[in-house]
């Protein structure tokens, strides 16, 4: 007798899925090779953004996720009580800022297209009323009231605690090394060395390591690690009240360029420190922090907020975004191996998109109509099919 589902990967995506399935009455086990929330979900920022997404399928998913976070933040706090650390959900709003005339017209066009897609994107006449410390060089700014943030590691832990309360089992120290196959060649569980776990469905939620995990299960999946680094300042007297980023950030998110890109993303945390992000670079799983990258991040943050020139940096860290070649996560049953499900490739938006991903997986598994069109996230979508047999370099670790 097996479980209804095994979720592999206890990052924020796997945690959200385990919670959604257990809450729907399924018998779920979530396994991780290490500790919960110890992968990318512990080395990222916690932005829940609609502002950085152009009209399209990812934006639709983000809009759905934004609504879910509003409800789920309250549910988690009610369910887990005051002794559980706060997930720090804050609907603080985002302010996107251009500092050149070309940047201003690009931002204005981008925001107009988003408005047509239902995003609340407000052109701002006086950006200094929002952020008094901004550079005097602002040429245009757009305010997005629906942008929010959470503390991502705590949010992942909270989703796991909630999943447990609904009956899910969490197993750590369980590196999946291979499949358990049934007589017909379908997936019937997973192996970790000589240990086996049986289930009719196995969900891959292994973040940037999903290509390696899929390879162990017998299929390819072109998820590549895309490095990102950040600086954290010492606690400051000054505050940045919104999530503020330079208009070039959107271009970096959408880009396929494997070379170094940095864009300015600045936000205050509840503890008074400021997070200064971020970079995008394809360097495999190389974890070294790079001075040239951190220098560029710092310079762009200072350009946006000149007072940052004199503040102390407390630390820096980096992580690996799970990058997909067609810039969309895969959230579906895998047509190539019965029993296998994918919840991978969320790149720089996995925290934000986790709850919507979980609802989609749950609805598809239960055979109920999902809240949004699932086809764009399928393993069979035309933009992914040509890449399915790519063997990504340097990802098998
Ligand atoms: C610098 C940076 C900033 C970011 N900022 C944001 C942001 O502001 N907002 C946002 O939404 N997203 C952001 N992201 C992206 C976000 O962090 C990811 O999309 C998200 O964390 C992915 O979550 P996950 O659960 O899929 O993967 P992970 O958190 O990486 O979890 C995967 C888990 O799988 C486990 N695993 C792997 N292989 C195996 C195996 N063989 N057996 C068992 N377990 C296995 C790992 O141990 C890990 O715990 C950022 C990323 C970076 C790097």
């Amino acid at each position: 007798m097996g479980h209804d589902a095994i979720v592999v990967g206890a990052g924020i995506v796997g945690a959200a899925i385990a919670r959604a399935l257990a809450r729907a009455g399924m018998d779920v086990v979530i396994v991780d090779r290490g500790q919960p929330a110890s992968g990318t979900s512990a080395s990222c920022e916690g932005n829940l953004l609609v502002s950085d997404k152009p009209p399209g399928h990812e934006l639709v998913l983000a809009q759905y996720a934004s609504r879910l976070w509003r409800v789920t933040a309250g549910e988690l706090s009610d369910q887990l009580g005051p002794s559980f650390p706060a997930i720090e959900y804050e609907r603080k709003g985002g302010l996107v800022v251009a500092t050149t005339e070309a940047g201003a017209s690009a931002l204005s066009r981008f925001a107009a297209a988003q408005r047509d897609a239902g995003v609340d994107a407000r052109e701002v006449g006086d950006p200094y009323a929002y952020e008094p410390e901004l550079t005097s060089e602002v040429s245009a700014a757009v305010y997005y009231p629906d942008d929010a943030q959470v503390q991502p590691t705590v949010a992942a832990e909270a989703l796991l605690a909630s999943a447990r309360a609904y009956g899910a089992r969490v197993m750590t120290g369980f590196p999946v090394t291979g499949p358990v196959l049934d007589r017909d060649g379908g997936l019937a569980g997973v192996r970790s060395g000589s240990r086996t776990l049986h289930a009719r469905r196995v969900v891959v939620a292994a973040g940037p390591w999903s290509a390696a995990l899929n390879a162990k299960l017998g299929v390819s999946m072109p998820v590549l690690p895309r490095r990102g680094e950040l600086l954290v300042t010492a606690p400051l007297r000054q505050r940045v009240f919104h999530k503020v980023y330079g208009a070039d950030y959107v271009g970096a998110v959408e880009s396929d360029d494997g070379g170094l890109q940095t864009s300015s993303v600045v936000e205050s945390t509840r503890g008074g420190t400021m997070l200064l992000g971020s970079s995008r670079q394809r360097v495999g799983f190389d974890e070294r922090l790079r001075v040239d990258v951190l220098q560029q991040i710092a310079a762009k943050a200072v350009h946006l907020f000149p007072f940052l020139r004199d503040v102390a940096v407390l630390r820096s860290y980096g992580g690996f975004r799970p990058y997909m070649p067609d810039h969309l996560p895969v959230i579906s049953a895998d047509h190539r191996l019965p029993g296998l499900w994918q919840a991978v490739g969320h790149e720089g938006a996995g925290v934000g998109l986790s709850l919507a991903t979980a609802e989609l997986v749950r609805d598809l598994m239960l055979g109920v109509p999902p809240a949004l069109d699932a086809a764009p996230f399928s393993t069979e979508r035309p933009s992914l099919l040509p890449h399915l047999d790519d063997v990504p370099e340097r990802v098998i670790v």
Side-chain angles (χ1 to χ4, degrees):
M1 275 290 290
H3 303 279
D4 292 328
I6 298 166
V7 180
V8 186
I12 197 154
V13 172
I17 293 170
R19 175 179 186 261
L21 299 185
R23 201 178 181 199
M26 291 173 72
D27 169 14
V28 185
V29 183
I30 177 165
V31 303
D32 200 288
R33 63 184 175 190
Q35 291 302 308
S38 58
T40 307
S41 303
S43 50
C44 58
E45 298 167 88
N47 300 308
L48 318 174
L49 301 185
V50 290
S51 57
D52 64 342
K53 297 175 181 64
H57 304 303
E58 194 190 17
L59 176 61
V60 173
L61 196 64
Q63 289 169 306
Y64 179 39
S66 161
R67 295 194 292 276
L68 291 173
W69 272 110
R70 270 175 244 170
V71 178
T72 307
E75 286 173 355
L76 290 174
S77 132
D78 291 347
Q79 186 184 25
L80 303 175
S83 61
F84 201 93
I87 68 165
E88 299 181 14
Y89 174 78
E90 204 180 339
R91 206 164 144 218
K92 56 166 39 175
L95 190 71
V96 185
V97 172
T99 54
T100 61
E101 283 317 311
S105 40
L107 175 60
S108 187
R109 278 196 305 278
F110 186 75
Q114 287 178 312
R115 276 193 291 276
D116 291 344
V119 175
D120 190 351
R122 307 176 189 174
E123 308 266 351
V124 163
D126 179 10
Y128 305 101
Y130 287 74
E131 295 294 345
E133 304 278 357
L134 265 176
T135 168
S136 58
E137 290 172 32
V138 176
S139 56
V142 177
Y143 175 60
Y144 295 85
D146 289 333
D147 278 357
Q149 80 181 40
V150 288
Q151 208 296 346
T153 316
V154 181
E157 293 279 11
L159 289 165
L160 275 179
S162 174
R164 272 201 197 92
Y166 288 120
R169 192 170 144 210
V170 182
M171 287 177 69
T172 55
F174 193 97
V176 169
T177 53
V180 174
L181 298 175
D182 62 23
R183 243 180 275 143
D184 303 319
L187 196 56
V190 291
R191 279 192 294 109
S192 180
S194 58
R195 293 182 289 170
T196 53
L197 272 178
H198 294 261
R200 284 196 296 134
R201 308 171 187 93
V202 175
V203 186
V204 173
W209 300 278
S210 295
L213 175 59
N214 271 294
K216 288 178 178 129
L217 297 177
V219 298
S220 60
M221 183 54 70
V223 181
L224 287 166
R226 197 177 194 192
R227 179 81 173 151
E229 292 174 15
L230 294 156
L231 290 164
V232 185
T233 71
L236 301 178
R237 187 175 42 79
Q238 298 95 329
R239 257 188 85 74
V240 170
F241 298 95
H242 306 86
K243 185 205 152 53
V244 181
Y245 59 89
D248 59 348
Y249 176 74
V250 173
V253 171
E254 291 298 302
S255 147
D256 290 319
D257 193 343
L260 172 63
Q261 296 175 56
T262 54
S263 32
S264 199
V265 184
V266 178
E267 69 194 87
S268 293
T269 66
R270 254 185 220 180
T273 59
M274 269 186 211
L275 291 184
L276 314 180
S278 64
S279 60
R280 287 180 142 75
Q281 195 174 19
R282 293 247 298 278
V283 289
F285 281 106
D286 186 342
E287 290 188 326
R288 281 172 297 181
L289 288 165
R290 291 171 169 73
V291 173
D292 60 329
V293 174
L294 299 174
Q295 255 171 355
Q296 276 194 29
I297 292 171
K300 290 197 175 176
V302 169
H303 178 60
L304 218 48
F305 287 100
F307 76 88
L308 288 172
R309 184 178 303 282
D310 298 319
V311 309
V313 168
L314 201 60
R315 67 189 180 96
S316 56
Y317 64 91
F320 299 101
R321 301 179 185 87
Y323 167 90
M324 287 300 288
D326 64 352
H327 296 291
L328 274 181
V330 185
I331 308 165
S332 81
D334 194 313
H335 65 283
R336 301 164 298 173
L337 180 57
L340 178 62
W341 288 71
Q342 303 286 349
V344 306
H346 295 77
E347 229 227 284
V351 179
L353 300 178
S354 56
L355 298 184
T357 299
E359 304 260 313
L360 201 51
V361 169
R362 180 203 60 201
D363 292 346
L364 293 170
M365 276 190 185
L366 295 179
V368 302
L372 48 86
D373 181 12
F377 307 103
S378 154
T379 52
E380 294 182 273
R381 64 188 186 232
S383 56
L384 182 61
L385 286 174
H387 297 284
L388 272 187
D389 291 326
D390 292 355
V391 180
E393 287 170 30
R394 293 182 291 180
V395 296
I396 310 298
V397 290

